[in-house]
């Protein structure tokens, strides 16, 4: 828990490029928990997914109902603890191994991105030590009371007034600068999730933003290069991450998701929530068809009582209830994207993940409202996933397994980072590796 007190979410030791490792991913969502245990094995450079240094093989998997969460955040520690224990236990049994530490995703806590530019004077040429100094200056400006830094990513260097420098070492100049993307979240949301996990006698190896890892799992290399946004619409949250020039430059999120659609339906039909959930996933549609007024769906009149005759509603009625909420969420996504660097990427496409993106007609409606090409994102390049986990709802969980391969791209102030499990000793090697591999 100590890292959080210093304003940093836990960060893991970067994966050694030539070593195999076994890692565990835990996605504690509002509606479901997914726990994945995987073996990461070094692999030669691939043609697709070029940035992946390791192959991922899932050896243990579980998918269980979540408890004690609201809007992506833990609201009941005891309930969440039981649910997490159960999920990890099942994955351990399936993988025949024991989990001690997990990489976890965070969707709650109002993620907020800031770009910082920091600069330092250099004596004629830029040396390794200057890079460390300027990165430290960049990450110091990011500390805010009540918030924790989830990600801190250098996105480009400047020398004097020259921008977009890729590798500044040895270049001539007087003033050397860095642009950094720092993503923070409310400290309370991070703390409560960590508490729930630590009560299960597990340690949190790294805590990362859900939309970022959804992107790591579902984005093709070219999409990240050309500019793309990943939108993860879960049960209680909708979060988004923007990539330009292959870099993670922005994230955002709010507390609306598929659960709100279900609640609208339960109210609109006077149905029980589980019935509304079932009807939504089976018959829900945001587009509407010509025959929808005549196509009737049975809704149990009294929950759990089969003796009462059901009421019948048309498919068109379902669409009339569901669509406004989905539109509201997509309009919020549109406005948040418009306020981000994505606005400058007219050719960038949107990749949707999360269970709620599986609603019939969702991508079409999203394309219309966002004014962009939209596709559903699924976990890419992850072997051994069971059939039920190959879809959009598991992009975040799968992305947590990709994260160790890119953990070295992040920078944290070494004076604070020495308190994290990454340790101060690895810091300069990490900066060096970042320079070599991120361009
Ligand atoms: N086929 C489907 N059609 C419509 N909605 C669906 C479908 N499948 C799943 N959903 C919805 O997706 C949501 C669950 O998605 P997901 O598993 O990504 O959420 P979560 O991770 O538990 O929540 P969050 O990330 O918001 O904390 C639920 O609201 C569910 O109703
Ligand atoms: Mg989720």
């Amino acid at each position: 828990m100590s890292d959080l007190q210093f304003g940093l979410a836990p960060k893991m030791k970067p994966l050694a490029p030539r070593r195999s490792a076994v890692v565990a991913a835990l996605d504690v969502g509002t509606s479901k928990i997914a726990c994945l245990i995987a073996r990461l094995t070094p692999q030669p450079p691939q043609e697709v997914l070029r940035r992946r240094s390791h192959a991922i093989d899932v050896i243990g998997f579980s998918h269980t109902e979540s408890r004690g969460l609201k809007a992506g955040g833990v609201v009941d520690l005891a309930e969440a603890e039981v649910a997490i224990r159960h999920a990890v236990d099942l994955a351990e049994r399936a993988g025949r191994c024991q989990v001690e530490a997990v990489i976890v995703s965070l969707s709650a806590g109002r993620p907020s991105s800031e770009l910082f530019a920091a600069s330092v004077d250099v004596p004629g040429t830029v040396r390794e030590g200057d890079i460390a100094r300027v990165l430290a200056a960049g990450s110091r400006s990011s500390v805010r009371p009540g918030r924790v830094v989830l990600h801190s990513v250098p996105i480009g260097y400047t020398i004097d007034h020259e921008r977009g420098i890729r590798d500044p070492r040895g270049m001539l100049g007087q003033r050397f600068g860095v642009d950094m993307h720092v993503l923070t979240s409310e400290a309370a949301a991070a703390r409560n999730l960590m508490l729930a996990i630590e009560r299960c006698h597990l340690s949190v190896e790294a805590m990362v933003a859900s939309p970022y890892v959804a992107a790591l799992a579902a984005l093709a290399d070219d999409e990240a290069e050309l500019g793309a946004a990943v939108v993860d619409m879960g049960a209680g949250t909708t979060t988004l991450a923007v990539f330009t020039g292959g870099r993670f430059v922005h994230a955002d999120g709010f507390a609306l998701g598929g659960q709100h659609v279900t609640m609208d339906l339960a109210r609109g039909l006077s149905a029980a929530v589980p019935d509304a959930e079932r009807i939504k996933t089976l018959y829900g549609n945001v587009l509407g068809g010509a025959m929808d007024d005549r196509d009737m769906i049975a809704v149990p009149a009294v929950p759990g009582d089969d003796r009462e005759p059901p009421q019948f509603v048309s498919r068109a009625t379902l669409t009339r209830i569901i669509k406004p909420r989905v539109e509201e969420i997509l309009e919020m996504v549109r406005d948040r994207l418009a306020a981000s660097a994505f606005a400058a990427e007219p050719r960038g496409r949107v990749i949707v993940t999360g269970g709620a993106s599986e609603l019939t007609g969702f991508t079409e409606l999203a394309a219309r409202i966002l004014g962009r090409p939209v596709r559903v994102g699924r976990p890419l390049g992850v072997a051994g996933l069971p059939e039920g986990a190959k879809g959009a709802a598991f992009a975040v969980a799968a992305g947590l397994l990709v994260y160790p391969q890119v953990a070295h791209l992040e920078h944290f102030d070494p004076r604070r980072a020495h308190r994290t499990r990454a340790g101060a000793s690895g810091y300069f090697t990490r900066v060096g590796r970042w320079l070599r591999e991120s361009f």
Side-chain angles (χ1 to χ4, degrees):
M1 192 51 78
S2 60
D3 306 344
L4 280 180
Q5 284 167 11
F6 300 106
L8 278 185
K11 282 295 139 197
M12 70 190 298
K13 199 172 181 159
L15 192 62
R18 281 179 211 88
R19 285 253 182 91
S20 294
V22 171
V23 294
L26 185 66
D27 176 17
V28 185
T30 311
S31 71
K32 66 148 195 308
I33 300 181
C35 181
L36 276 66
I37 305 169
R39 182 170 293 114
L40 311 183
T41 321
Q43 65 181 6
Q46 308 285 297
E47 213 152 285
V48 285
L49 304 172
R50 291 184 297 275
R51 288 159 195 240
R52 302 258 183 111
S53 58
H54 287 65
I56 305 169
D57 284 288
V58 175
I59 56 172
F61 173 85
S62 72
H63 169 203
T64 55
E65 194 183 337
S66 184
R67 297 250 166 207
L69 265 86
K70 197 174 171 212
V74 173
V75 290
D76 186 324
L77 274 175
E79 276 196 5
E81 178 193 336
V82 172
I84 293 169
R85 268 182 200 276
H86 181 56
V88 175
D89 205 43
L90 287 181
E92 283 179 330
R93 263 189 256 170
R96 294 170 201 267
C97 59
Q98 204 176 345
V99 171
E100 278 160 17
V102 288
I103 306 169
V104 297
S105 49
L106 182 70
S107 314
R110 299 171 203 269
S112 161
S113 281
E114 283 178 82
L115 296 180
F116 289 103
S119 58
V120 293
D121 284 326
V122 288
T125 41
V126 178
R127 291 164 310 182
E128 204 85 49
D130 300 322
I131 299 173
R133 268 198 311 139
V134 77
L135 289 174
S139 58
R140 258 199 301 281
S141 43
S142 55
V143 192
R144 297 262 188 288
R147 297 191 68 86
V148 287
V149 176
L150 280 186
H151 297 284
S152 176
V153 200
I155 52 178
Y157 290 110
T158 56
I159 296 180
D160 295 336
H161 293 290
E162 186 83 24
R163 301 191 77 83
I165 308 253
R166 299 201 152 192
D167 185 347
R169 281 174 297 185
M171 287 194 175
L172 301 176
Q174 307 298 322
R175 191 84 191 153
F176 171 48
V178 65
D179 292 319
M180 293 186 72
H181 169 209
V182 176
L183 174 63
T184 64
S185 128
E186 280 167 2
R191 193 171 52 233
N192 293 339
L193 179 59
M194 257 184 98
L195 276 173
I197 294 169
E198 288 178 344
R199 279 169 70 135
C200 304
H201 303 291
L202 295 165
S203 66
V204 175
E205 204 164 7
M207 184 179 284
V208 297
S210 294
Y212 176 49
V213 285
L216 292 180
L219 266 191
D221 294 335
D222 293 348
E223 290 174 323
E225 239 9 271
L226 286 172
V230 173
V231 178
D232 186 84
M233 187 169 160
T237 63
T238 298
T239 56
L240 54 96
V242 174
F243 282 69
T244 65
R247 312 286 170 73
F248 172 41
V249 295
H250 184 83
D252 205 338
F254 50 90
L256 283 177
Q259 207 172 49
H260 298 83
V261 179
T262 302
M263 295 309 288
D264 289 349
L265 207 54
R267 271 186 221 109
L269 301 177
S270 305
V273 174
D275 289 329
E277 175 72 19
R278 184 178 51 81
I279 290 165
K280 178 185 82 170
T281 47
L282 284 178
Y283 310 107
N285 185 341
V286 282
L287 289 182
M291 304 295 286
D292 284 5
D293 274 325
R294 273 170 277 167
D295 200 357
M296 305 303 278
I297 314 285
V299 181
V302 181
D305 188 349
D306 299 337
R307 291 165 303 179
E308 286 291 321
Q311 46 165 334
F312 285 89
V313 297
S314 69
R315 270 183 196 267
T317 306
L318 298 184
T319 302
R320 268 196 294 276
I321 299 171
I322 291 171
K323 198 174 170 190
R325 178 69 82 172
V326 178
E327 281 173 337
E328 178 196 2
I329 293 171
L330 286 169
E331 281 161 8
M332 285 178 77
V333 168
R334 179 193 61 200
D335 295 347
R336 304 234 175 170
L337 285 178
S340 80
F342 197 51
E345 299 287 343
R347 295 201 306 144
R349 68 159 66 146
V350 177
I351 290 88
V352 290
T353 63
S357 70
E358 286 172 19
L359 186 64
T360 309
F362 182 81
T363 46
E364 291 85 346
L365 184 64
R368 210 181 295 158
I369 292 176
L370 302 176
R372 305 264 189 174
V374 175
R375 72 165 178 92
V376 174
R378 297 188 176 82
L380 302 173
V382 180
L385 279 176
E387 213 45 51
K390 290 184 176 167
F394 291 87
V396 169
L400 290 169
L401 300 173
V402 181
Y403 179 74
Q405 304 182 28
V406 298
H408 67 277
L409 298 179
E410 301 199 25
H411 169 79
F412 290 95
D413 187 341
R415 262 166 291 172
R416 287 186 296 143
H418 75 273
R419 301 186 183 102
T420 74
R421 71 188 48 247
S425 58
Y427 165 70
F428 287 102
T429 25
R430 260 182 293 153
V431 173
R433 221 179 125 197
W434 177 72
L435 283 170
R436 281 196 305 280
E437 295 179 15
S438 61
F439 299 107

